[in-house]
Amino acid sequence: MRGVFITFEGIEGSGKSTVSKMASKYLASKGFKVIHTYEPGDTAAGKEIRRILLDPVHEDMHPVTELLLCFADRAEHVHHLIAPALKMGEVVLCDRFTDSTMAYQGFGRGLDLKMLREIDAVARDGVWPELTILLDLDVRAGLQRNSHAGKKDRFEMEEIAFHERVRGGFSSIARKEPERVKVVDASRSIDAVFAEVRALIDQILPDGSD
Ligand code: TMP
């Protein structure tokens, strides 16, 4: 069995973590060995990087610092978790990856996309998703969904215009790479959203018997 890498992307409150966890359970029930993971923060060093990235105390962090922290987290994640799991033939479901860096630091913060792609290539070292599910949602609806979650992090505190640029960035990536990136309307019920996601996953992972 070959390793398969699938990523989930979208703005704040788009439901990525719920949907990707449902996908993980679904694939495990079909007999796949599945790892569910996320960026930033799912390694030992990554946890500390995530804390720095999200802490509102670093309100004035320079965009390049933010970018390099995201890439440092990715390098740890790829080398310690994702690549080894793929080598073992496992299915890796990842909540956020390269497209988030393009959308947030590129489109959101306005950093040069070509420069981002070049450093990203170093960080991910050849690892690339076969399928990306983009959960698309109106920015205000997403932020509203997240508002009950308590204190806002450094990204949630950004103005609406920033989140609109991020959403536009994701859409632009999806338009350029329609084979890899599948857009799912996340404004519907979780069951309706997951039914569509499941069908997309079934197309590349029909069964888990071998
Ligand atoms: P999360 O809320 O989905 O766990 O993600 C934490 C925040 O990190 C989210 O606001 C998006 C941001 N982020 C970036 O800005 N660039 C990146 O490359 C990644 C992976 C996340």
Side-chain angles (χ1 to χ4, degrees):
M1 173 72 206
R2 71 199 165 99
V4 175
F5 186 37
I6 300 174
T7 59
F8 293 79
E9 299 280 6
I11 59 159
E12 322 294 320
S14 58
K16 292 172 289 80
S17 73
T18 307
V19 169
S20 57
K21 282 177 194 156
M22 288 170 85
S24 174
K25 276 196 191 139
Y26 171 66
L27 285 170
S29 77
K30 289 217 310 179
F32 289 98
K33 280 205 78 179
V34 195
I35 290 197
H36 179 274
T37 186
Y38 60 91
E39 289 192 2
D42 205 13
T43 60
K47 281 191 175 46
E48 300 191 38
I49 295 170
R50 180 183 177 92
R51 186 180 49 75
I52 298 168
L53 270 170
L54 300 193
D55 194 338
V57 86
H58 304 304
E59 196 186 359
D60 65 346
M61 183 185 288
H62 193 279
V64 175
T65 312
E66 180 181 285
L67 175 75
L68 295 175
L69 285 171
C70 292
F71 284 143
D73 174 74
R74 182 154 309 133
E76 282 297 295
H77 197 205
V78 163
H79 290 288
H80 291 304
L81 202 153
I82 303 176
L86 293 174
K87 256 191 210 118
M88 299 285 288
E90 293 172 10
V91 178
V92 179
L93 303 182
C94 190
D95 179 345
R96 297 196 185 280
F97 196 64
T98 293
D99 299 319
S100 276
T101 319
M102 293 296 163
Y104 282 79
Q105 282 66 50
F107 290 85
R109 301 285 189 220
L111 295 177
D112 181 62
L113 295 177
K114 184 167 170 285
M115 179 269 287
L116 262 65
R117 267 187 222 106
E118 286 171 2
I119 315 180
D120 182 61
V122 178
R124 62 182 177 77
D125 198 23
V127 167
W128 190 243
E130 211 161 299
L131 169 68
T132 295
I133 312 271
L134 171 58
L135 296 174
D136 184 50
L137 184 66
D138 172 74
V139 163
R140 286 176 201 274
L143 291 173
Q144 182 68 32
R145 277 189 192 174
N146 257 14
S147 61
H148 64 274
K151 229 177 89 199
K152 285 184 180 171
D153 68 36
R154 211 169 52 79
F155 291 97
E156 289 163 344
M157 285 168 65
E158 285 293 334
E159 55 190 10
I160 294 286
F162 172 83
H163 294 284
E164 294 285 8
R165 290 196 296 278
V166 171
R167 183 188 185 196
F170 279 128
S171 300
S172 158
I173 295 167
R175 277 194 303 276
K176 286 201 181 97
E177 293 182 69
E179 286 300 311
R180 173 178 68 91
V181 185
K182 304 297 178 192
V183 184
V184 172
D185 174 1
S187 67
R188 299 165 298 162
S189 73
I190 191 71
D191 288 343
V193 171
F194 185 64
E196 195 176 335
V197 169
R198 193 178 53 206
L200 290 167
I201 290 176
D202 282 343
Q203 283 174 19
I204 63 164
L205 289 168
D207 68 64
S209 52
D210 49 349

